[in-house]
Amino acid sequence: MATPHLSAPRPIAEIASYHAHIYYDVATTRTRAEQLRAWIGERFVVRLGSWHDRKVGPHDQPMYQVAFAKDVFATLVPWLMLNHLGLSILIHPNTTNPRRDHTVDPFWIGTPLPVHDEKLPEDAEAEEALEPNTTPHREA
């Protein structure tokens, strides 16, 4: 997908929330993914998504999603940089263009993996931060 020429910068207000997709291999790294998930849930106000032990949507490897609000970004993302346990993590904004969010505007912690953009819409309602399903119990 080509990045269009803009006459002005895009406003940060386009971002409604964020997702982190944490990838693992069922046979070799799921235990690490479980540990990382537990640590995240203990430390951050996030919404922990379902386990997907098979490819799902545009993702080429098993993963689970962590949804979080804009105000969590500044603490969760640096923490993940230091504590990703060797796993690949795709972090992307949620705007009205899921395809661009996943393929043009994201960044990776660990090794980048394929994302099948043809499975993503170019226009959708931006996902607001969901009610968290966990309350952090200790400092990050």
Side-chain angles (χ1 to χ4, degrees):
M1 171 188 288
T3 303
H5 179 313
L6 299 174
S7 60
R10 292 167 53 201
I12 198 166
E14 279 187 41
I15 300 171
S17 63
Y18 291 93
H19 286 167
H21 296 277
I22 300 177
Y23 298 91
Y24 59 92
D25 177 86
V26 174
T28 61
T29 59
R30 193 175 200 277
T31 301
R32 280 190 268 156
E34 290 169 356
Q35 178 65 71
L36 184 58
R37 183 183 175 94
W39 286 347
I40 293 167
E42 292 168 354
R43 290 164 174 80
F44 300 97
V45 178
V46 299
R47 181 113 173 113
L48 297 169
S50 299
W51 289 92
H52 297 284
D53 283 345
R54 299 172 195 234
K55 296 177 185 180
V56 63
H59 307 284
D60 213 24
Q61 190 169 326
M63 64 93 196
Y64 61 85
Q65 174 182 280
V66 179
F68 55 100
K70 294 185 285 187
D71 63 347
V72 177
F73 185 96
T75 54
L76 174 58
V77 172
W79 187 90
L80 286 171
M81 290 173 172
L82 299 177
N83 295 287
H84 61 95
L85 301 177
L87 300 171
S88 294
I89 302 175
L90 170 68
I91 298 176
H92 69 79
N94 288 314
T95 70
T96 59
N97 189 326
R99 184 176 295 177
R100 183 182 61 212
D101 294 344
H102 283 78
T103 61
V104 176
D105 297 334
F107 70 92
W108 287 89
I109 296 172
T111 304
L113 301 171
V115 175
H116 299 282
D117 66 339
E118 73 280 0
K119 296 183 178 186
L120 293 164
E122 287 192 36
D123 187 38
E125 190 170 322
E127 182 181 308
E128 296 292 332
L130 303 172
E131 288 296 315
N133 59 2
T134 184
T135 302
H137 302 289
R138 56 184 160 163
E139 291 296 313

